[in-house]
Amino acid sequence: MALVIVGTFVVALCLCAGDAQAQAQLQVGFYAQSCPQAEVIVRDEVGRAVSANVGLAAGLVRLHFHDCFVQGCDASVLLDSTANSTAEKDAIPNKSLRGFEVIDAAKTRLEGACAGTVSCADILAFAARDSVVLTGGSPYAVPAGRRDGNVSAASEAQANLPPFTASAAQLTEAFAKKGLSQEDMVTLSGAHTIGLSHCSSFSGRLSGYNATTGTGQDPSMSAATASGLAAQCGRSPDAAVPMDAGSPDAFDTGYFHAVLANQGVLASDQTLTSDNVTAALVVENAYNTYLFVTRFGEAMVRMGGIKGLTGGDGQIRRIRTNCRVLN
């Protein structure tokens, strides 16, 4: 465990044995000489966006997750589709992603300040951290030095992103394939303490849950929660509802308390109480805020080291001063 000064914060950074190899060429303060204002510029753009629309904080955290789980943290999720290729962002699991314009705004300013220096992949990692902090979470140091990937395929997103219907065992396996532990999986699920979920992602839990009769609600969801969600979704099939109704815009432990009360919105949320080990982790995070925020920062650093491009691999995107096209 090392203490690192980031701006006015002193934060703990853990590079544990399991992620040492992935983090080998990433380092905190990577742009200290080449673009010393890099993190400040990203933080400023994220702050501007979140002040105007707090929901973008959850969107930016999700963007980073969806990037890292597909081909590693290489900003491939930001690339636009072309006439010959459907990109990750147009895959069905990514249709509701948002925050692209925030990354573009940061990239445009960074290209003006230090052209061809800061990768889109690092901007994503910085923006996710800043979104957590701006909604009340604790700061953590982000190792940087990622390079941008040259390939983006919708089929890869479909194959690698865990579905919102996944069981605890399936989630554990999906995270393990990325070098992340079961504790990391439960902790990172806590990001659902901010943001919304579209009704289409959980409508099957509200009615027609019994495959035999085609009726009934998911018994793992409290009746009051199911009734409330059904009412909200009944008004508009495309509606989006908070995943942590108690404090939807605050990065806190409310999500874990909701799961313990059988109020998890997604099946992949509530399933965390179906396994003794993951349920115990939910309890730990729910009742120890310091433990949760510490674990969360460490897990984000580990996730940020998944199979990224470093050194001379990949590129630093700079065409049109945005992250949507290759050089």
Side-chain angles (χ1 to χ4, degrees):
M1 184 79 73
L3 289 180
V4 182
I5 298 177
V6 182
T8 58
F9 300 107
V10 178
V11 297
L13 170 67
C14 176
L15 296 182
C16 306
D19 56 278
Q21 182 176 2
Q23 295 290 345
Q25 295 187 61
L26 301 180
Q27 56 183 287
V28 174
F30 181 83
Y31 297 108
Q33 300 300 318
S34 60
C35 190
Q37 64 271 55
E39 295 190 49
V40 174
I41 289 174
V42 175
R43 187 181 307 133
D44 183 55
E45 288 301 322
V46 173
R48 192 192 314 273
V50 171
S51 293
N53 180 357
V54 69
L56 283 171
L60 290 166
V61 174
R62 187 170 178 235
L63 260 184
H64 184 42
F65 173 83
H66 280 232
D67 180 45
C68 291
F69 259 60
V70 183
Q71 303 186 115
C73 309
D74 64 350
S76 53
V77 74
L78 302 178
L79 287 171
D80 286 340
S81 294
T82 66
N84 300 317
S85 176
T86 303
E88 290 172 30
K89 64 166 58 171
D90 290 320
I92 291 175
N94 288 338
K95 287 289 189 179
S96 60
L97 289 179
R98 55 181 177 159
F100 296 102
E101 71 282 2
V102 183
I103 304 301
D104 283 345
K107 180 62 170 174
T108 297
R109 283 186 58 186
L110 287 165
E111 286 300 302
C114 29
T117 303
V118 182
S119 70
C120 298
D122 279 341
I123 296 173
L124 273 174
F126 294 147
R129 183 267 315 277
D130 297 337
S131 295
V132 169
V133 174
L134 286 166
T135 50
S138 294
Y140 56 91
V142 176
R146 299 167 188 80
R147 304 270 291 180
D148 298 326
N150 298 322
V151 178
S152 182
S155 59
E156 289 293 318
Q158 195 74 42
N160 284 277
L161 293 169
F164 46 77
T165 56
S167 66
Q170 290 169 330
L171 289 169
T172 298
E173 181 182 8
F175 277 68
K177 287 179 178 178
K178 307 301 177 184
L180 300 173
S181 69
Q182 195 171 51
E183 180 184 295
D184 291 331
M185 180 270 287
V186 174
T187 299
L188 290 172
S189 295
H192 288 176
T193 193
I194 55 175
L196 307 172
S197 176
H198 289 274
C199 291
S200 58
S201 298
F202 58 84
S203 58
R205 303 185 69 205
L206 306 181
S207 62
Y209 185 78
N210 187 308
T212 302
T213 64
T215 61
Q217 298 172 342
D218 182 348
S220 69
M221 178 183 284
S222 76
T225 299
S227 177
L229 291 174
Q232 293 179 72
C233 294
R235 289 192 288 269
S236 172
D238 295 325
V241 303
M243 287 189 281
D244 172 9
S247 51
D249 300 327
F251 197 92
D252 56 20
T253 60
Y255 163 83
F256 294 109
H257 286 282
V259 169
L260 290 174
N262 294 327
Q263 296 169 358
V265 174
L266 301 177
S268 56
D269 293 327
Q270 197 57 57
T271 191
L272 298 181
T273 59
S274 68
D275 174 271
N276 288 338
V277 176
T278 57
L281 291 167
V282 170
V283 171
E284 289 175 4
N285 286 333
Y287 291 100
N288 190 328
T289 300
Y290 176 78
L291 179 65
F292 167 56
V293 297
T294 301
R295 281 176 170 174
F296 189 83
E298 294 172 352
M300 286 291 280
V301 168
R302 282 190 285 274
M303 185 186 77
I306 296 176
K307 193 186 169 185
L309 301 172
T310 56
D313 295 331
Q315 61 179 233
I316 303 295
R317 290 182 209 146
R318 56 183 181 274
I319 299 297
R320 300 184 198 165
T321 65
N322 67 38
C323 292
R324 297 170 184 257
V325 296
L326 297 173
N327 295 341

